[in-house]
Amino acid sequence: MRFRRLRDLLIYAVILACIAAIVVSQIYLTLSSDSDTEDATLFTTSKTLSFTGVIVRDESLVYTSYLGDGVLTYDIDDGSRVSNGSSIAKIYNSYSQIYNRHEIEKLEEEIEALEKAQDNGTTDYVQPEFISTQIAEQYKELISDIKTQDFENLNSERVQLLKLMCILNVSSNVESDYTDRISVLTERLNALEVSLVNAVATVSASSSGYFTSVVDGYESDLTTDGISELTVDDINSIISSPQKNTTMSSNVIGKLFSDYKWQMVGVIYTDDRYFVNESFDLTFTSVGKTYTVTVDSITATGNGNEAIIVLSCDQMDETVAASRVVDVEILFGTYSGIKVSRSAIRFQNGQKGVYVVSGGQTEFRLINVIYEGDDYVLSEVTSDDGYLTLYDSVLLDPVSTTEGQSSSEASDDVEEEESEKSDDDETS
């Protein structure tokens, strides 16, 4: 009996020892795997180049011959195209004349919206559910304008929301019409029109082109023909002082440039020259607007990897028209591939790849690099035999863990790796 109990205790002890050994080994393998390997996952990145650019155009100042007292108001927005002799601005004898004209415009828009809302051709075929959806969307746009302080669009968004709500009221029989409201607005409109007087002066365009009210003192200094003569010091001087310290004539009201095309010059730091004559997206980072530009030239200055870049663009709007110095970012492309740490990359028979753990064995898998980051690369996703695939377990320090190589093969791998790193350093 005693022998049987002793035997049973020994059996239990052996079983417990085996279980403990299995648990400890699994914990060790898990921790070892976490520290020495990583899963090959899909990663997306963008290659960009950021710098501060100077916009260059052929510009001419716009003057008014009127030197008396008055208040200036513009007839057109910045970036608008004007024809020779067309009105650019008017000068009135008081601010109230400008205010009354703006009020008249707002009243006319509101009256038009109400008349449209009660028109049978509009309300008879309207689906209330559809209009309700439009009201919700228009309300969101109105709130967005308030949050971003986009006051230029605020009134037009308000009038559009008013029109939609009135259409819904009439189509749902909440209101029959808006005749009384239209009459009140019309009376106010007529009273304002009676108070109007003619402008004391009108400023007309002396030639056709694009207009902006913003002047900075560089209008006669910067020309497209003179871009090639600009030095790094010239560019940095303009960037540090976007508004030139010069006495501007009091009768200057803006400037014209004859062409919608414009150029940008800036100082960059890169050895890459391959993107000359290529087109890319250029973002004005302060406002988030993007334009399509062509890289005209990249000229090395002889100071390390410093270079002067020249871009050109044929897109014009109020932001471009009013800008001289802007922070920009060029997007060269977006890349998606399998992310591989540089520390895992090795060579075998002159081919670049990584070692992976598969079924408890170490195997060499090729990689096809499509993008290089600072501490990683992206490998093309492919189903070809012998190449790295998604979710492979990649060894991060394969030199110390691979067992299938001779010492000479390992030495060759390290030498090729060091050579590759040297080449990468020279390229970057």
Side-chain angles (χ1 to χ4, degrees), residues 19 36 58 62 70 162 227 233 242 250 273 279 322 326 332 341 346 357 364 379 391-392 405-406 415:
I19 293 174
D36 296 332
D58 295 321
V62 178
L162 171 67
I227 283 184
D233 289 341
S250 60
R273 302 289 185 269
S279 295
V326 287
F332 293 117
S341 297
R346 292 296 183 269
V357 178
F364 185 78
S379 178
Y391 311 118
D392 279 345
Q405 291 177 283
S406 67
E415 289 178 2

Side-chain angles (χ1 to χ4, degrees), residues 11-32:
I11 292 173
Y12 292 147
V14 171
I15 293 173
L16 290 174
C18 290
I19 293 174
I22 293 172
V23 171
V24 171
S25 64
Q26 290 299 316
I27 294 174
Y28 171 79
L29 289 174
T30 300
L31 294 176
S32 176

Side-chain angles (χ1 to χ4, degrees), residues 247-259:
T247 302
M248 189 68 67
S249 174
S250 60
N251 61 339
V252 173
I253 68 158
K255 62 188 175 187
L256 279 173
F257 31 95
S258 59
D259 202 341

Side-chain angles (χ1 to χ4, degrees), residues 147-363:
K147 287 183 176 180
T148 59
Q149 298 186 349
D150 185 3
F151 301 125
E152 292 185 4
N153 291 328
L154 192 59
N155 185 65
S156 61
E157 300 285 4
R158 179 191 68 84
V159 172
Q160 180 63 19
L161 180 60
L162 171 67
K163 181 171 72 173
L164 291 171
M165 294 178 67
C166 291
I167 290 175
L168 178 63
N169 287 342
V170 175
S171 63
S172 304
N173 297 320
V174 175
E175 297 282 353
S176 58
D177 59 51
Y178 292 95
T179 302
D180 292 343
R181 176 61 178 169
I182 291 174
S183 297
V184 172
L185 296 177
T186 302
E187 288 183 10
R188 290 172 54 188
L189 175 65
N190 293 335
L192 288 173
E193 287 180 335
V194 170
S195 69
L196 297 182
V197 297
N198 293 330
V200 297
T202 299
V203 183
S204 300
S206 57
S207 61
S208 60
Y210 293 84
F211 175 79
T212 178
S213 60
V214 180
V215 294
D216 52 36
Y218 291 105
E219 285 75 21
S220 59
D221 296 343
L222 295 174
T223 64
T224 55
D225 289 340
I227 283 184
S228 60
E229 300 176 5
L230 291 175
T231 66
V232 171
D233 289 341
D234 294 332
I235 297 169
N236 289 335
S237 176
I238 297 171
I239 292 173
S240 62
S241 301
Q243 190 73 28
K244 188 176 181 181
N245 295 324
T246 183
T247 302
M248 189 68 67
S249 174
S250 60
N251 61 339
V252 173
I253 68 158
K255 62 188 175 187
L256 279 173
F257 31 95
S258 59
D259 202 341
Y260 59 85
K261 294 182 179 179
W262 50 274
Q263 290 181 281
M264 175 179 286
V265 60
V267 180
I268 61 175
Y269 298 89
T270 177
D271 286 332
D272 293 333
R273 302 289 185 269
Y274 67 89
F275 43 80
V276 174
N277 297 324
E278 298 291 334
S279 295
F280 303 99
D281 286 339
L282 178 80
T283 300
F284 285 21
T285 54
S286 61
V287 294
K289 288 189 175 182
T290 300
Y291 308 88
T292 301
V293 299
T294 300
V295 181
D296 292 338
S297 65
I298 298 176
T299 306
T301 64
N303 181 20
N305 61 352
E306 181 184 75
I308 295 176
I309 187 172
V310 179
L311 312 170
S312 61
C313 180
D314 57 6
Q315 295 172 267
M316 175 60 62
D317 61 17
E318 71 280 2
T319 300
V320 173
S323 298
R324 175 70 73 190
V325 175
V326 287
D327 292 328
V328 297
E329 183 178 74
I330 301 178
L331 175 62
F332 293 117
T334 301
Y335 303 86
S336 293
I338 302 174
K339 188 176 182 181
V340 178
S341 297
R342 283 191 178 273
S343 62
I345 299 175
R346 292 296 183 269
F347 289 84
Q348 190 175 92
N349 299 325
Q351 293 181 299
K352 184 184 291 187
V354 294
Y355 287 97
V356 302
V357 178
S358 178
Q361 301 295 319
T362 301
E363 298 178 4

